[in-house]
Amino acid sequence: MTTINVLDHGFVRLVDHMGDDSAIVQAARVSYGEGTKTPSEDRGLIRYLMRHQHWTPFEMVELKFHVKLPIFVERQWVRHRTASTNEESARYSVMSDGVYTPSLRDIKPQSTTLKQGTADEPVSVQDAVEVRSHMLNAYVTARTVYESLLKGESLVCEKFTGISREQARIVMPLASYTQKYWKTNLRNLIHFLHLRLDKHAQYEIRVYAEAIKSLVAPLFPLAIEAADDYVFGSYTLSRMDIEFLRDVFYLPLTNEREIFGAFADHKRFGMTKREADDLMKILKPKEEQ
Ligand SMILES: Cc1cc2nc3c(=O)[nH]c(=O)nc-3n(C[C@H](O)[C@H](O)[C@H](O)COP(=O)(O)OP(=O)(O)OC[C@H]3O[C@@H](n4cnc5c(N)ncnc54)[C@H](O)[C@@H]3O)c2cc1C
């Protein structure tokens, strides 16, 4: 069983799976009652299905993972409702002492442009060392209080040997590690990867998505290749984006300045400045993105 280590104490492991690329084409062809086709026809069919969002054949493939992850990452992950989760119980067992601490280069300031993100550049090494030391102090304090509550060290009444695990756990930080089994089908997995591989997703969940993709890519090479082209690497064009692009391609524009002149007038296409900037980012040469 292949395990990929993620963050400082986490991992992702593919425990089991059902089906492969041919299970997808087999399901898609059932309606026509046709036999096995050539590999290139299979590839064409998988790409056609994904391009046209004909998703049910991808639901024929099931995958089950064992994941160890910080609680704050699980809190984002569990929002993907079209999956089955069974998580370690901190009511039943004593929490392990693994706690996530970001590496020095991953400690970054609040982004000034994105309310929900970090800036691209890390803080100075000196500041990062300071931040990590504050985090570690908080973790040690929380762990000490947790263990003393479990043992009842601070309780005066000798009748009790400690408070319950379900109550003691509430002092523990969101950075504490938990574990889960997670089962989903390939359609929902692709949707999960689409959202969580994206650069707008938090780094700590993105690295799990990257690990999952590298585990599944060799098992479903055709489906993941199609997802790279039609889902992960794609961008939905709005009506205004399309009207703008139509102008760029079909009006007799003489030079680049005129194209960007048309673009600067984003209101002409009913676009907000933010929408226009987003489109511009997508259209930039790859090396400038
Ligand atoms: C970058 C980013 C930032 C986010 N920020 C926030 C945030 O600030 N606050 C917050 O609360 N969440 C936030 N989320 C979570 C987000 O809103 C979704 O809950 C999460 O990404 C799961 O997506 P989903 O609902 O499409 O997936 P799933 O729950 O797996 O659902 C898959 C699909 O099934 C269908 N579906 C599932 N349930 C229903 C339903 N009840 N009704 C109708 N259709 C349904 C929908 O088509 C859905 O796309 C963020 C997510 C991302 C990626």
Side-chain angles (χ1 to χ4, degrees):
M1 209 185 303
T2 316
T3 301
I4 298 189
N5 293 325
V6 187
L7 300 178
D8 50 359
H9 304 295
F11 61 75
V12 178
R13 193 175 284 155
L14 180 66
V15 177
D16 206 356
H17 76 281
M18 183 184 84
D20 52 16
D21 282 330
S22 60
I24 301 164
V25 291
Q26 189 186 38
R29 289 206 176 106
V30 75
S31 38
Y32 310 109
E34 291 178 29
T36 312
K37 298 275 179 141
T38 64
S40 76
E41 282 174 295
D42 286 356
R43 179 172 180 269
L45 178 56
I46 286 182
R47 294 175 74 77
Y48 175 88
L49 294 170
M50 206 172 288
R51 206 162 61 246
H52 294 277
Q53 302 192 36
H54 182 8
W55 282 112
T56 42
F58 297 91
E59 294 171 18
M60 302 301 150
V61 172
E62 290 281 341
L63 303 112
K64 184 165 68 184
F65 299 92
H66 179 187
V67 191
K68 185 172 176 192
L69 70 176
I71 289 172
F72 72 91
V73 176
E74 170 57 2
R75 191 165 160 182
Q76 297 183 345
W77 197 316
V78 80
R79 298 300 306 282
H80 296 265
R81 296 156 290 176
T82 46
S84 306
T85 299
N86 199 62
E87 191 191 347
E88 178 180 274
S89 168
R91 297 178 71 193
Y92 187 80
S93 350
V94 172
M95 291 173 74
S96 70
D97 56 7
V99 182
Y100 166 63
T101 320
S103 66
L104 293 181
R105 69 172 188 285
D106 292 324
I107 297 178
K108 298 176 176 176
Q110 171 65 40
S111 163
T112 49
T113 49
L114 274 179
K115 287 193 179 144
Q116 214 179 31
T118 48
D120 291 335
E121 288 300 312
V123 298
S124 70
V125 175
Q126 198 185 357
D127 283 345
V129 168
E130 179 82 13
V131 168
R132 264 176 69 106
S133 130
H134 284 308
M135 285 178 168
L136 291 170
N137 283 341
Y139 298 164
V140 168
T141 305
R143 185 79 205 179
T144 308
V145 173
Y146 176 64
E147 287 180 6
S148 83
L149 290 175
L150 288 175
K151 289 182 198 145
E153 282 169 358
S154 53
L155 302 182
V156 284
C157 175
E158 287 177 6
K159 196 170 149 204
F160 302 107
T161 51
I163 71 160
S164 65
R165 287 187 283 270
E166 69 178 7
Q167 287 183 328
R169 66 175 170 171
I170 68 180
V171 300
M172 292 296 279
L174 287 175
S176 309
Y177 274 87
T178 182
Q179 295 192 44
K180 66 170 176 179
Y181 265 57
W182 189 65
K183 184 180 76 68
T184 190
N185 63 47
L186 190 57
R187 177 207 181 146
N188 291 319
L189 186 78
I190 288 171
H191 181 62
F192 170 84
L193 292 178
H194 183 206
L195 295 176
R196 300 303 178 176
L197 286 172
D198 190 274
K199 63 176 190 292
H200 295 104
Q202 184 166 350
Y203 164 76
E204 283 84 358
I205 194 164
R206 211 164 61 226
V207 286
Y208 280 91
E210 282 162 4
I212 285 185
K213 188 181 172 204
S214 68
L215 283 174
V216 301
L219 301 173
F220 315 98
L222 299 180
I224 297 300
E225 180 202 26
D228 271 331
D229 293 341
Y230 301 122
V231 182
F232 311 143
S234 76
Y235 175 79
T236 306
L237 293 179
S238 69
R239 177 184 58 76
M240 297 80 83
D241 292 342
I242 292 168
E243 280 174 19
F244 164 71
L245 290 172
R246 232 181 239 139
D247 257 29
V248 170
F249 286 116
Y250 293 110
L251 286 184
L253 290 167
T254 49
N255 59 36
E256 200 189 2
R257 216 169 63 79
E258 274 191 61
I259 296 175
F260 288 95
F263 183 77
D265 186 15
H266 55 84
K267 288 191 189 131
R268 187 152 73 84
F269 302 95
M271 293 162 107
T272 62
K273 172 83 170 60
R274 177 81 183 263
E275 286 173 319
D277 287 347
D278 283 349
L279 176 63
M280 219 50 242
K281 276 186 212 148
I282 304 295
L283 297 177
K284 264 188 185 168
K286 210 166 183 186
E287 55 281 6
E288 287 176 32
Q289 299 222 346

